[in-house]
Amino acid sequence: MTTQSLPFFKGAFLQIRWRRWIITFLILLSGLIGLTVTKADQWLPGIGNWLARSPHIEPADAIVVLGGGSQRTVHGLDLYQQGLAPEFWHTGAWSSARRTQRIAELAAERGIPADAIYLLGTSSTWSDGQQIAILARQRQPQSLLVVTDWYHSRRAFCVLEDHLAGSGIELYYSPPSAIWFGPDDWWQSEEGRVTVIRELAKIGGY
């Protein structure tokens, strides 16, 4: 084994340890929720409300939809049609050419000019922050109205505030309506439990 190969094995070992930590965390958290389900309404809403950023809707220079679901896209388009911003930014455009084309078509159908639509090729919340910061340096906005689901808002804003640090850009927030579960009842459905537990693990990773 050469000395050049040591960093690779060290990195692989750390990655395996990290994955084991995440799995252990999820198992423990799931067990804790199961053991205390009889008193769920007393403390589990606190987790949901810790994840959920309070909405703050103001006119901005651009509406920024973080890719991850059609409800986010539709809500962002609704905000644009309400006249809350002159530009429409949307992340997550890397994953599917068909989806990217559909976002552009929906935006055009809602009357957004082609030169006001910015589709960013990103694959994660972290890359969302990177690409938004790059575009912000080009477009020089003073404010952004961010759209993402309530359970994703804490992590998303931590990332955005990190990448936009020192820019002076004001961040506002408007979540789409919670269709299946919200901060106060997320543990009552399997989808809610899986989504929130996964989000808590991702916050630990970030």
Side-chain angles (χ1 to χ4, degrees):
M1 181 185 300
T2 65
T3 56
Q4 288 83 359
S5 65
L6 289 176
F8 170 80
F9 286 102
K10 182 178 180 181
F13 176 72
L14 291 175
Q15 187 177 30
I16 292 171
R17 288 188 63 186
W18 175 246
R19 288 177 179 173
R20 287 178 178 174
W21 184 91
I22 290 292
I23 293 171
T24 302
F25 173 81
L26 293 177
I27 292 172
L28 290 174
L29 187 58
S30 299
L32 182 61
I33 291 174
L35 288 172
T36 58
V37 70
T38 56
K39 296 186 177 180
D41 59 345
Q42 297 180 16
W43 69 278
L44 289 178
I47 294 177
N49 285 283
W50 179 77
L51 288 174
R53 188 180 182 92
S54 298
H56 181 189
I57 304 172
E58 298 279 353
D61 294 314
I63 291 164
V64 182
V65 179
L66 303 186
S70 59
Q71 73 278 7
R72 300 183 190 179
T73 303
V74 172
H75 184 63
L77 293 172
D78 289 342
L79 293 173
Y80 180 89
Q81 288 195 305
Q82 293 172 30
L84 287 168
E87 294 185 358
F88 182 79
W89 304 2
H90 200 301
T91 70
W94 74 278
S95 58
S96 167
R98 180 177 298 178
R99 173 167 169 71
T100 301
Q101 181 180 1
R102 183 54 182 158
I103 292 171
E105 291 173 349
L106 286 171
E109 290 171 5
R110 295 291 193 98
I112 304 180
D115 59 0
I117 302 171
Y118 296 85
L119 303 180
L120 306 181
T122 62
S123 59
S124 67
T125 301
W126 188 257
S127 60
D128 285 351
Q130 290 177 323
Q131 293 304 311
I132 288 169
I134 291 171
L135 183 57
R137 287 194 289 271
Q138 298 171 4
R139 302 299 302 160
Q140 294 293 308
Q142 298 300 307
S143 57
L144 300 173
L145 178 53
V146 179
V147 174
T148 192
D149 291 297
W150 65 265
Y151 54 82
H152 181 235
S153 60
R154 173 172 285 271
R155 179 163 57 99
F157 270 78
C158 285
V159 169
L160 288 172
E161 288 165 357
D162 182 69
H163 284 291
L164 296 173
S167 67
I169 296 174
E170 191 77 29
L171 295 178
Y172 306 127
Y173 174 53
S174 180
S177 299
I179 300 176
W180 304 113
F181 56 90
D184 295 320
D185 62 359
W186 59 269
W187 71 92
Q188 295 179 3
S189 69
E190 181 178 359
E191 181 181 3
R193 291 190 295 272
V194 170
T195 299
V196 169
I197 292 172
R198 181 180 297 160
E199 184 61 27
L200 291 172
K202 289 179 179 179
I203 286 177
Y206 273 61

